[in-house]
């Protein structure tokens, strides 16, 4: 077998897997729909507002509900010492509705 | 087989032989290239999927939330605020919510305590999320005790546990009855954590929020739209932070690959000279070298992307867990729904495969148009 044959087979396999990843994503999304609906239903029923991603501090557990500048609220110049603080965006200015 | 195809196969054979003569360099280059594509694709796939999941799941979160602010801090809100809100035209319903945090010294973890209205929990019983189950090895029927605000012990019997499938929104939940919540924290009847409001016409949400803001100036109003935007911005920020951290290595790789692709070694120069001397045309030499670039970059892209896809959607994005987890004790076990943005994948393809392939052309063209005799000397 020529080198190019072996290589083309590998490339064809990789391209096939690349295509298959999109098919897998479509099928995965279809399978995930009941789970997503269940989570959305739980959010509606319990009135939840945030994902459980950062449970280390109260202002990182519910970023959408936290006080403005909550990382610095304990006393002036109190710097945030939780690692998540560096991954959360800086506080947004209070938006008046409208 | 057509002569054109035959020629391309021969070119590919020659390219592979040429690459295998520099096996160590080529494999090293491929490994670095693949890791860069893997990390970039993982960040991209993870951020997009979690943004879409947050938007889908939180689309039914409360339409409007009203918090009371005292001296710049979130404070308990009296029930009489409900009457003022119900008086605003367009408000369909308004109810007080009770929720807060409870530190459990046994697990060194913070739970989110909530009082659900549907279904109601019986006093003395608790429904717990999957994270709490794992942190406390608790099963239905087990007893859990906590010290109330006055030091007295409050005991809960685990009634049910919430399925792991919904851990992304419920891992740290500790659902209790209203009486138990008030007993635990010493909150008097008639006080709530915040108020949840639903409106008749969703298009009037901002107008109604304005009216509430005017009627109750000591409140902070959070719209559902703002909750969704928070998650957009959290993950935009996170993606940006990771890309900034990666920028140094991406730049180093760009310099390395540019140097590798655009600078010709004496050996490569000699190879081009020999090819020209034996009758190869300039176009063929350029095609050969472009093919070399494509073999490396396209293979690296395909392998890197496939590994990233498996990492994010089939192995729970394990490499990102320490970054997301921070110092948290409770972390949900979840599998993201595979939301893939084809445009993002195309952009990644364009910015990883094309620059390298193109970078190989200019120096080859320069070397290939010179007299073979001069190049070989």
């Amino acid at each position: 077998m020529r080198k190019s044959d072996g290589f083309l087979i590998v490339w064809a396999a990789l391209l096939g897997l690349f295509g298959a990843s999109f098919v897998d994503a479509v099928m995965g999304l279809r399978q995930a729909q009941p789970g997503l609906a269940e989570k959305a239903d739980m959010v509606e029923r319990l009135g939840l507002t945030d994902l459980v991603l950062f449970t280390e501090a109260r202002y990182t557990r519910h970023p959408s509900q936290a006080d403005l500048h909550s990382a610095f609220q304990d006393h002036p110049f109190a710097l945030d010492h939780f690692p998540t603080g560096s991954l959360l965006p800086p506080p947004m200015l209070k938006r008046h509705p409208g | 087989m057509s002569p054109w195809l035959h020629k391309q196969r021969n070119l590919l054979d020659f390219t592979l032989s040429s690459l295998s003569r520099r096996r160590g360099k080529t494999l090293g280059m491929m490994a670095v290239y693949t890791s860069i594509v893997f990390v970039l694709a993982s960040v991209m796939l993870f951020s997009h999927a979690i943004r879409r999941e947050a938007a889908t799941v939180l689309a039914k979160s409360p339409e409007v939330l009203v918090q009371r602010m005292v001296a710049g801090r979130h404070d308990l809100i009296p029930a009489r605020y409900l009457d003022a809100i119900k008086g605003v035209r367009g408000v369909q319903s308004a109810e007080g919510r009770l929720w807060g945090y409870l530190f459990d010294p046994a697990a060194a973890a913070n739970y989110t305590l909530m009082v659900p209205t549907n279904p109601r929990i019986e006093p003395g019983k608790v429904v717990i999320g999957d994270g709490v189950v794992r942190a406390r090895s608790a099963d239905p029927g087990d007893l859990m005790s906590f010290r109330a605000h006055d030091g007295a012990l409050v005991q809960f019997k685990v009634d049910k546990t919430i399925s792991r499938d919904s851990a992304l929104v419920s891992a740290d939940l500790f659902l209790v009855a209203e009486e138990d919540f008030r007993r635990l924290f010493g909150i008097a009847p008639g006080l709530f954590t915040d108020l949840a409001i639903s409106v008749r016409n969703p298009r009037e949400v901002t107008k109604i929020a304005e009216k509430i803001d005017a009627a109750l100036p000591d409140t902070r109003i959070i719209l559902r739209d703002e909750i969704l935007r928070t998650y957009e911005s959290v993950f935009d920020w996170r993606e940006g932070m990771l890309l900034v951290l990666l920028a140094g290595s991406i730049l180093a790789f760009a310099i390395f690959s540019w140097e590798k692709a655009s600078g010709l070694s004496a050996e490569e120069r000699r190879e081009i000279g020999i090819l020209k001397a034996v009758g190869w045309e300039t176009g063929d030499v350029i095609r050969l070298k472009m093919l070399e670039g494509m073999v490396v970059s396209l293979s690296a892209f395909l392998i890197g992307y496939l590994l990233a896809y498996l990492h994010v959607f089939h192995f729970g994005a394990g490499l990102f867990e320490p970054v997301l987890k921070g110092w948290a004790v409770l972390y949900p076990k979840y599998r993201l729904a595979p939301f893939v943005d084809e445009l993002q994948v195309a952009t990644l393809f364009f910015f990883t495969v094309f620059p390298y392939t193109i970078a190989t052309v200019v120096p080859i063209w320069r070397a290939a148009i010179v007299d073979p005799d001069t190049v070989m000397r």
Side-chain angles (χ1 to χ4, degrees):
Chain A
M1 191 165 68
R2 288 166 62 166
K3 264 187 185 168
S4 58
D5 290 343
F7 183 76
L8 286 173
I9 290 171
V10 172
W11 251 18
L14 284 175
L15 281 170
L17 286 172
F18 182 65
S21 76
F22 289 98
V23 178
D24 182 67
V26 172
M27 283 165 52
L29 262 187
R30 204 170 293 160
Q31 275 177 358
Q33 284 310 322
L36 287 173
E38 189 191 324
K39 276 180 254 183
D41 179 54
M42 181 172 284
V43 165
E44 190 177 19
R45 232 173 347 103
L46 298 178
L48 305 176
T49 52
D50 290 83
L51 301 182
V52 190
L53 280 176
F54 324 109
T55 57
E56 59 192 346
R58 65 189 188 286
Y59 54 86
T60 58
R61 168 64 181 90
H62 291 97
S64 74
Q65 307 297 302
D67 298 353
L68 304 172
H69 304 281
S70 43
F72 307 98
Q73 73 174 346
D74 288 337
H75 59 81
F77 299 108
L79 290 172
D80 185 22
H81 63 278
F82 284 103
T84 300
S86 60
L87 294 169
L88 285 171
M92 286 188 283
L93 292 174
K94 179 174 178 177
R95 273 184 76 262
H96 281 282
Chain B
M1 189 186 283
S2 75
W4 184 84
L5 268 179
H6 195 67
K7 188 177 171 184
Q8 303 310 312
R9 275 189 71 191
N10 287 341
L11 263 179
L12 187 57
D13 271 330
F14 196 89
T15 303
L16 294 171
S17 305
S18 167
L19 285 173
S20 64
R21 274 198 297 278
R22 305 185 296 270
R23 193 183 299 258
K25 263 188 184 175
T26 310
L27 286 179
M29 181 74 188
M30 278 276 294
V32 178
Y33 210 146
T34 307
S35 339
I36 292 277
V37 174
F38 167 74
V39 176
L40 286 177
S42 295
V43 172
M44 191 190 81
L45 289 172
F46 183 84
S47 308
H48 180 72
I50 202 144
R51 254 197 304 251
R52 288 288 305 275
E53 182 137 354
T56 311
V57 166
L58 297 177
K60 289 183 179 174
S61 56
E63 266 178 311
V64 182
L65 286 165
V66 180
Q67 294 179 345
R68 185 174 178 225
M69 304 296 284
V70 174
R73 287 172 185 251
H74 180 193
D75 202 38
L76 295 172
I77 192 162
R80 64 187 152 82
Y81 280 49
L82 278 171
D83 301 328
I85 289 167
K86 281 176 183 165
V88 173
R89 257 176 79 174
V91 170
Q92 191 173 36
S93 67
E95 59 178 23
R97 300 197 313 158
L98 283 169
W99 64 276
Y101 304 103
L102 179 71
F103 180 72
D104 178 6
N110 263 316
Y111 304 149
T112 297
L113 254 76
M114 277 196 117
V115 177
T117 46
N118 173 32
R120 286 201 181 275
I121 311 275
E122 282 178 48
K125 291 195 173 168
V126 62
V127 175
I128 52 176
D130 181 60
V132 185
V133 172
R134 282 185 291 121
R136 288 289 297 257
S137 308
D139 286 311
D142 287 359
L143 294 173
M144 293 171 91
S145 305
F146 297 96
R147 282 164 74 89
H149 70 105
D150 54 3
L153 274 184
V154 178
Q155 205 170 48
F156 295 100
K157 187 174 183 183
V158 179
D159 187 29
K160 269 187 279 182
T161 59
I162 303 172
S163 152
R164 179 175 289 187
D165 296 339
S166 55
L168 195 55
V169 291
S170 65
D172 70 339
L173 288 188
F174 197 91
L175 306 176
V176 295
E178 183 174 343
E179 298 86 324
D180 291 333
F181 187 89
R182 293 191 187 279
R183 166 84 191 89
L184 207 54
F185 299 114
I187 296 176
L191 287 174
F192 296 101
T193 311
D194 55 20
L195 309 177
I197 293 154
S198 66
V199 297
R200 276 196 200 95
N201 182 357
R203 282 183 297 183
E204 286 178 356
V205 166
T206 44
K207 197 73 208 156
I208 290 168
E210 257 174 47
K211 285 183 186 169
I212 297 171
D213 198 35
L216 305 166
D218 60 343
T219 57
R220 174 183 173 221
I221 295 159
I222 302 164
L223 305 180
R224 180 192 284 163
D225 201 33
E226 287 171 331
I227 295 175
L228 297 176
R229 269 210 314 274
T230 300
Y231 278 86
E232 276 289 319
S233 87
V234 163
F235 293 108
D236 277 351
W237 175 259
R238 176 184 319 279
E239 196 174 26
M241 286 294 288
L242 272 168
L243 291 180
V244 166
L245 291 175
L246 282 173
S249 52
I250 293 169
L251 204 63
F253 172 71
I255 294 167
F256 170 66
S257 57
W258 178 264
E259 169 69 22
K260 172 81 185 56
S262 63
L264 285 181
S265 65
E267 192 195 337
E268 279 174 306
R269 244 170 229 283
R270 217 161 58 93
E271 186 187 333
I272 292 168
I274 293 168
L275 291 176
K276 293 269 297 195
V278 296
W280 282 49
E281 285 177 17
T282 308
D284 290 334
V285 177
I286 292 174
R287 212 167 295 140
L288 168 79
K289 289 294 170 182
M290 267 186 83
L291 204 57
E292 269 186 27
M294 234 169 83
V295 164
V296 172
S297 56
L298 193 57
S299 307
F301 171 79
L302 289 173
I303 298 171
Y305 176 80
L306 287 169
L307 289 176
Y309 184 86
L310 289 174
H311 166 231
V312 173
F313 296 123
H314 289 276
F315 293 103
L319 292 180
F320 294 146
E321 195 177 306
V323 182
L324 287 169
K325 206 171 171 179
W327 291 348
V329 174
L330 297 178
Y331 187 72
K333 294 267 175 227
Y334 60 90
R335 183 167 279 190
L336 283 176
F339 288 104
V340 177
D341 182 0
E342 290 81 7
L343 187 68
Q344 271 192 340
V345 180
T347 311
L348 184 73
F349 173 79
F350 186 81
F351 282 106
T352 50
V353 173
F354 278 88
Y356 184 78
T357 311
I358 302 301
T360 54
V361 177
V362 180
I364 302 291
W365 175 74
R366 264 199 217 129
I369 54 170
V370 183
D371 180 43
D373 184 48
T374 322
V375 178
M376 277 190 285
R377 274 166 206 276

